[in-house]
Amino acid sequence: MPSYITNENLSSSQLAFCGAVAGVISRFVVAPLDVVKIRMQLQNHRTNFTFANGSSTSTVKYASIIPSLRTILKEEGIKGWYKGNLPAEYLYLSYSAIEFWTFNELEKFMERKQMTEKLPHSTKTFISGMIAGSVATTITYPFDLLRTRFAVQGDTKHYTGIFQAIKSIYSIEGIRGFYPGIRPAIVQIMPYMGLLFTSYDLLASCFQRLREKDILSSQYKGTHDMISGAVSGVLSKTAVYPIDVVRKRLQVQGPYLTDYVVRSTKYSSNSWWACMKLIVVNEGPRSLYKGLLPSLIKVAPANAVTFLVFEETKKLLVNRSEKT
């Protein structure tokens, strides 16, 4: 049985198109929050699991969402909210297209091999999402690296454009320079995308059954898809967030260290686990969740918009194919 995400009337290429459209639109909506999240992640002040006022954040530049947005706006203008947005748009477009194409191909492969009878539906969805996310992450990782480095540039502009940045990274760091942090990225994305697709499929399917029984109105299908996307995104992101912090730290270990990371702090790009332990020792366990709030505030609308646009684009293609 196909998942709620796919459609037997659409090809993998058509679903890839739906994903690309959804990725581009959702990225533009959440770009400012992404910049704030990245800058919070890269600050290496110590944080503790406490609600007391024992640890002051007066010296921390990016301590909370609204003040951080104001600081960036004041110092860098509206463009500061969208630093790294162009490579990020390329990332979201290509990532979403590859991801949904791969997911559909994997789902069809499991149907052909009659794995559906052997595996529970949720397990099949989890495996398809996990592999699809890994493939998309590996192929599009250089765009993620560029997005991060553009987002954390201060007054000194080491990278002035995408092609200049690619040329600079390749000439100084070689081909490996495009893949620092790829290991924690893969470690993170496997459970994240597996959980995201599985939870979205379960939630959206529940809403669908309620609509079929006339318990919920079909005219609110878009709202149901948005709720399913937002909830699944929050659950999945929270589960894997510490690995995302490690990935960001490793991504800025090039020849130009960001202004937002103490320059004496260096992490081995060959050991994401050692990096995680170093963060815990130097900054406290809670530091693995730096930037979590803006990340969740970002991921909820991002996934809500992504799945809403994906489903609406999918519906348009289905209606078009039925008319022809």
Side-chain angles (χ1 to χ4, degrees):
M1 180 182 69
S3 65
Y4 182 88
I5 301 164
T6 57
N7 190 291
E8 58 185 9
N9 297 317
L10 296 179
S11 66
S12 295
S13 298
Q14 289 173 311
L15 286 172
F17 173 77
C18 296
V21 173
V24 168
I25 295 176
S26 65
R27 166 61 202 183
F28 185 81
V29 172
V30 301
L33 287 171
D34 194 44
V35 171
V36 171
K37 182 206 73 168
I38 291 173
R39 294 193 182 187
M40 283 183 172
Q41 286 179 325
L42 298 180
Q43 294 176 135
N44 63 352
H45 61 284
R46 188 172 187 86
T47 54
N48 301 305
F49 286 106
T50 177
F51 292 100
N53 296 322
S55 58
S56 174
T57 59
S58 59
T59 59
V60 178
K61 188 171 185 178
Y62 305 109
S64 56
I65 300 170
I66 301 301
S68 296
L69 288 170
R70 289 174 179 167
T71 298
I72 295 170
L73 181 63
K74 180 180 178 180
E75 296 180 353
E76 306 167 44
I78 193 70
K79 289 184 178 180
W81 286 356
Y82 289 90
K83 276 189 174 179
N85 191 54
L86 188 56
E89 289 287 9
Y90 290 142
L91 168 65
Y92 275 57
L93 185 152
S94 55
Y95 185 96
S96 297
I98 294 169
E99 181 180 52
F100 282 104
W101 184 91
T102 306
F103 183 88
N104 192 51
E105 288 295 311
L106 288 168
E107 191 173 78
K108 290 193 296 185
F109 173 79
M110 291 186 179
E111 293 284 347
R112 288 196 300 269
K113 297 297 182 180
Q114 296 183 335
M115 295 177 68
T116 307
E117 300 175 1
K118 302 176 183 178
L119 294 174
H121 178 75
S122 58
T123 302
K124 183 189 70 172
T125 304
F126 183 90
I127 293 172
S128 298
M130 180 180 68
I131 297 175
S134 301
V135 171
T137 297
T138 302
I139 295 175
T140 63
Y141 193 78
F143 285 129
D144 188 30
L145 175 83
L146 290 170
R147 171 193 59 165
T148 300
R149 294 199 177 180
F150 274 112
V152 299
Q153 283 194 128
D155 295 330
T156 303
K157 299 295 187 293
H158 301 294
Y159 306 117
T160 57
I162 292 179
F163 293 108
Q164 180 271 336
I166 292 173
K167 184 178 179 180
S168 175
I169 293 171
Y170 180 75
S171 62
I172 298 174
E173 305 172 56
I175 195 67
R176 283 190 173 186
F178 294 103
Y179 291 93
I182 185 65
R183 292 177 185 176
I186 296 298
V187 171
Q188 174 204 13
I189 209 65
M190 290 175 72
Y192 175 73
M193 293 313 305
L195 288 170
L196 180 67
F197 276 87
T198 303
S199 55
Y200 174 77
D201 182 55
L202 289 172
L203 289 169
S205 296
C206 286
F207 276 119
Q208 184 180 41
R209 287 193 291 271
L210 292 173
R211 290 194 299 270
E212 291 172 350
K213 295 178 181 179
D214 292 326
I215 297 175
L216 294 176
S217 174
S218 296
Q219 71 182 52
Y220 295 113
K221 177 184 179 299
T223 302
H224 303 156
D225 291 335
M226 290 183 71
I227 293 172
S228 300
V231 173
S232 60
V234 168
L235 292 174
S236 305
K237 176 60 72 173
T238 302
V240 302
Y241 191 77
I243 307 174
D244 189 45
V245 174
V246 172
R247 178 168 62 98
K248 287 293 182 286
R249 295 289 180 97
L250 292 175
Q251 283 182 335
V252 295
Q253 294 300 295
Y256 307 122
L257 292 180
T258 171
D259 296 335
Y260 310 111
V261 182
V262 174
R263 296 178 183 276
S264 62
T265 303
K266 294 185 178 180
Y267 310 99
S268 170
S269 59
N270 296 319
S271 177
W272 64 270
W273 182 247
C275 175
M276 181 176 286
K277 289 194 293 185
L278 191 60
I279 292 172
V280 171
V281 171
N282 292 341
E283 305 168 39
R286 191 183 174 192
S287 293
L288 293 173
Y289 291 90
K290 283 178 178 177
L292 176 61
L293 183 57
S295 182
L296 294 182
I297 293 176
K298 183 198 84 168
V299 81
N303 279 287
V305 172
T306 295
F307 283 107
L308 172 65
V309 175
F310 176 80
E311 295 294 344
E312 291 301 311
T313 308
K314 189 172 73 174
K315 184 170 71 174
L316 288 174
L317 293 181
V318 170
N319 291 339
R320 184 179 178 183
S321 64
E322 290 176 349
K323 291 178 181 179
T324 56

